[in-house]
Amino acid sequence: MVSNTRLIKLSPFMDKKYGDLLPLEEMKEIPFPIRRVYCIYDVPSSMRRGYHSHIDLEQVLVCIQGQVTIMVKTPFEEENVVLGSRYTGLYVGPMVWREMYDFSKDSVLLVLASKPYDVDDYIRDYNAYKRLAYDYFSDYAK
Ligand code: TYD
C-alpha cells in the first residue's frame, strides 16, 4: 500500500436477531487517541472532494454505509481504495494526499481523527504538497 496508509480489519458483532454492532476504540481498532469524529454524507455521486494532505494528522476512514473510493497518493505511489464494507477501515497518516470520489447514494463515510480541526494542518496546494512530500517520503524510505 501507499506509505503511511494501511487497511485495518474491523470486526463487527453480527447478530441476526438483534442486529449488528461495530466497535471502534482508540488504541485498539483505531491506532491513536481519538480527538475528533466527523461524517461525510449526502455527497452527489459526481462529486470528488478532499484534494489535500495533512501535515501531522492521522485518520481512519470507515464507510459505514454504501461505498466510496479513496485515492491516496504520495509523490512516489498512488492507490485507489474502495471502501464498501464495515469490515475494513483505511488508515491515512501524515503527508498523504487524498481525494474521495464515487460516493454511492446514501453512503456515509465516518472519519476518526487524532487531532482537533486545525486549518493550519492542511496542505491544499498540490505543488506545495509535492515539494514537501518529496522530502518527507525520501527521508522516510531511508
Ligand atoms: P474539508 O476538510 O474542506 O472537506 P473535504 O476536504 O473533505 O472536502 O471541510 C469542509 C468544511 O468543513 C470546511 O469549511 C471546514 C469544515 N470542517 C470543520 O469545521 N471541522 C472538521 O473537523 C472538518 C473535517 C471540516
Side-chain angles (χ1 to χ4, degrees):
M1 294 211 43
V2 168
S3 302
N4 273 8
T5 71
R6 66 178 183 274
L7 295 176
I8 295 178
K9 188 178 170 320
L10 303 174
S11 303
F13 289 89
M14 314 289 273
D15 189 309
K16 283 248 167 5
K17 186 171 168 194
Y18 291 102
D20 301 344
L21 185 151
L22 173 66
L24 299 170
E25 191 172 328
E26 63 183 22
M27 311 319 288
K28 282 172 91 175
E29 295 85 2
I30 308 303
F32 49 74
I34 300 168
R35 299 290 308 281
R36 179 164 53 108
V37 176
Y38 62 93
C39 289
I40 299 176
Y41 53 93
D42 279 353
V43 180
S45 60
S46 58
M47 180 55 62
R48 191 172 176 109
R49 57 184 293 165
Y51 294 100
H52 65 258
S53 153
H54 288 281
I55 297 167
D56 256 349
L57 189 71
E58 296 177 277
Q59 294 178 310
V60 173
L61 285 60
V62 184
C63 189
I64 54 172
Q65 182 164 296
Q67 180 173 302
V68 58
T69 304
I70 318 289
M71 188 271 269
V72 280
K73 73 173 170 184
T74 70
F76 306 103
E77 309 160 283
E78 175 173 334
E79 192 167 352
N80 293 275
V81 180
V82 178
L83 284 182
S85 138
R86 301 180 188 105
Y87 294 99
T88 306
L90 174 64
Y91 169 86
V92 183
M95 293 307 288
V96 176
W97 188 266
R98 86 287 311 273
E99 296 171 19
M100 297 163 271
Y101 65 100
D102 272 358
F103 286 84
S104 71
K105 193 170 158 43
D106 296 333
S107 61
V108 180
L109 182 65
L110 175 70
V111 183
L112 306 154
S114 64
K115 293 190 175 179
Y117 180 68
D118 176 7
V119 73
D120 294 331
D121 188 65
Y122 281 71
I123 306 171
R124 291 192 181 276
D125 180 275
Y126 189 68
N127 287 325
Y129 167 75
K130 261 203 313 208
R131 282 194 301 275
L132 290 164
Y134 188 89
D135 290 344
Y136 178 91
F137 286 105
S138 300
D139 291 347
Y140 188 91
K142 279 177 205 156

